[in-house]
Amino acid sequence: MKDFAGLGHLFVAAFLFHFSSYMVLPSITDVTMEAVCPGRDECSVAIYLSGFQNAITGLGALVVTPVVGNLSDRYGRKALMTLPVTVAILPLFILACNRSEAYFYVYYVAKIVAGIFCEGSMHCLSLAYVADQVGTRRRAAAFGLLSGVSAAGFVSGTLTARFLPTSSTFQVAAAVATAGAIYLRAFVPDSGSAVSSFGDDEASCDPLLQDSSSCSCSSATSSSTSSDGELSPRLPPYKGLLPSLPDMVALLTGSLTLSAAATITFFYSLGEHGLQTALLYYLKAQFGYSKDEFANLLLIAGAAGMLSQLTVMPIFAPIVGEEMLLIVGLLGGCTHVFLYGIAWSYWVPYFAAAFVILSAFVHPSIRTNVSKSVGSNEQGIAQGCISGISSFASILAPLIFTPLTAWFLSETKPFNFKGFSIMVAGFCTLISFVISIRMRGGRYGTSEKMSVVQNEEA
């Protein structure tokens, strides 16, 4: 646990951020329905508004997240983490004041703007911060702990919302979000990697500012890389705030691990965001779920994820490895989504939510593989690229699943299967599961061929 000693304040800040963010989730469906379609259980307008918000947020995050990650590599993680935790306060404050139709639409616009800066950025920067502080051998456990702390914030926020009226929910969430921003600025130390290791030497190590005969920087980089057990950076040095698309493509296609992580992230995120787009409206139409049922469901899912990431993953990651955990997690994720889609009784979604104890392995496993595949000065941009791919999937998901959900919940549905859009999301997660198996098999095949060649040469 010595490696984790410097992460305590980050964990507290992450907990407060996710507590305030997820606390309002069980209430937001009812608030939206009441503002847009009062007195109704089914409303296509509310579904389309939610889908449009997710699409615009994902589009903005696709551009912003890699830029924020790149800036954090240059100027430190703390300065950039201040942005999402501060911007997230405004939408909560608006609904804390009033939840009338006018206030809802003001909140709607503010939430889109805030989501562009918060969607993926906080998680990406937190992962890069952890990678700066923890060695590669303990990084999977550290990423699991970070995800577990986030899940703890999710569970605590959802449980709190279960016992608070809607009016107080947004007020408490706004207060906690403000406290989290203050705590981050006051107590979280800046990342040592970005500030001390690269902040002073960045200019001297830039090949554009060196003579061709200078080689001290490259030799220092090589020794540092080999001592850390990391691969050499795959992205060539560049200037400016926004890395070009060819730069990011070169980074993600630089190894089988990175390309596999990018592909799996896309399909899994497409299914995950598709489920999020459809689930609450589907459950409200199918079983008449309200705020309390949503809170109970989210509480089960969050508790399962927290248990998995805080206890199960740190134990099994060093034993079976991140690749096997990824396969097990994707299998659990497929089961999780398909059970929602074929739910035949009100208790089935609760049972399906328990499979989050397996699907919680997916994101930490992917991020660990990505972190181990790039150099120390590329943690922010690499994690930002993966978050950008997830954001791109979040753009496509509402465009696909919003009309599909509205169609199958309407009176003009082609056949009576309200969970059809969720089943489609399940097939997206199934694709990512198949790809993970094929990639793992291909990697082991390549390793065996290399060992045979080495033995023959010997």
Side-chain angles (χ1 to χ4, degrees), residues 20-313:
S20 61
S21 298
Y22 289 118
M23 184 179 179
V24 301
L25 194 57
S27 303
I28 199 62
T29 301
D30 288 342
V31 171
T32 303
M33 296 287 288
E34 187 64 27
V36 178
C37 304
R40 295 171 57 185
D41 287 336
E42 300 180 11
C43 180
S44 297
V45 176
I47 298 175
Y48 279 109
L49 280 175
S50 177
F52 178 78
Q53 173 186 317
N54 292 335
I56 297 300
T57 298
L59 181 62
L62 174 63
V63 177
V64 170
T65 306
V67 177
V68 170
N70 181 35
L71 288 171
S72 74
D73 286 333
R74 293 169 174 263
Y75 305 114
R77 317 297 182 197
K78 179 178 177 179
L80 275 299
M81 278 194 285
T82 304
L83 178 63
V85 298
T86 304
V87 173
I89 300 172
L90 180 60
L92 300 174
F93 177 77
I94 293 171
L95 287 187
C97 296
N98 200 305
R99 286 159 306 286
S100 64
E101 183 177 2
Y103 274 82
F104 170 77
Y105 284 109
V106 175
Y107 157 83
Y108 184 79
V109 175
K111 180 63 176 176
I112 290 176
V113 176
I116 290 173
F117 293 99
C118 299
E119 183 84 17
S121 293
M122 183 63 180
H123 189 55
C124 157
L125 294 172
S126 298
L127 290 168
Y129 189 103
V130 171
D132 292 339
Q133 305 293 329
V134 181
T136 56
R137 292 184 178 180
R138 302 298 301 275
R139 201 166 288 172
F143 283 176
L145 286 175
L146 176 63
S147 298
V149 168
S150 301
F154 174 89
V155 172
S156 301
T158 304
L159 185 61
T160 303
R162 181 68 175 79
F163 299 103
L164 286 177
T166 301
S167 58
S168 301
T169 297
F170 288 95
Q171 294 171 356
V172 173
V176 173
T178 303
I182 295 173
Y183 187 93
L184 174 72
R185 293 302 306 169
F187 297 106
V188 176
D190 209 341
S191 169
S193 175
V195 175
S196 61
S197 298
F198 299 100
D200 297 335
D201 299 333
E202 183 179 23
S204 62
C205 290
D206 194 330
L208 297 178
L209 301 180
Q210 288 185 333
D211 296 332
S212 59
S213 60
S214 300
C215 60
S216 59
C217 185
S218 60
S219 62
T221 302
S222 301
S223 62
S224 175
T225 301
S226 60
S227 63
D228 291 340
E230 297 172 327
L231 300 180
S232 59
R234 301 179 179 277
L235 193 63
Y238 56 88
K239 292 182 176 293
L241 302 182
L242 180 61
S244 66
L245 182 60
D247 287 333
M248 291 186 284
V249 171
L251 175 66
L252 295 176
T253 58
S255 73
L256 179 62
T257 300
L258 291 174
S259 59
T263 307
I264 293 170
T265 297
F266 173 76
F267 282 104
Y268 184 76
S269 296
L270 185 63
E272 188 178 43
H273 287 287
L275 177 66
Q276 293 172 1
T277 299
L279 182 60
L280 298 185
Y281 294 102
Y282 158 72
L283 292 177
K284 191 173 186 67
Q286 179 79 336
F287 303 114
Y289 274 31
S290 64
K291 168 181 172 290
D292 290 343
E293 284 80 12
F294 290 148
N296 292 336
L297 182 66
L298 296 175
L299 187 61
I300 293 172
M306 180 180 66
L307 175 66
S308 174
Q309 291 164 337
L310 288 178
T311 60
V312 180
M313 188 170 182

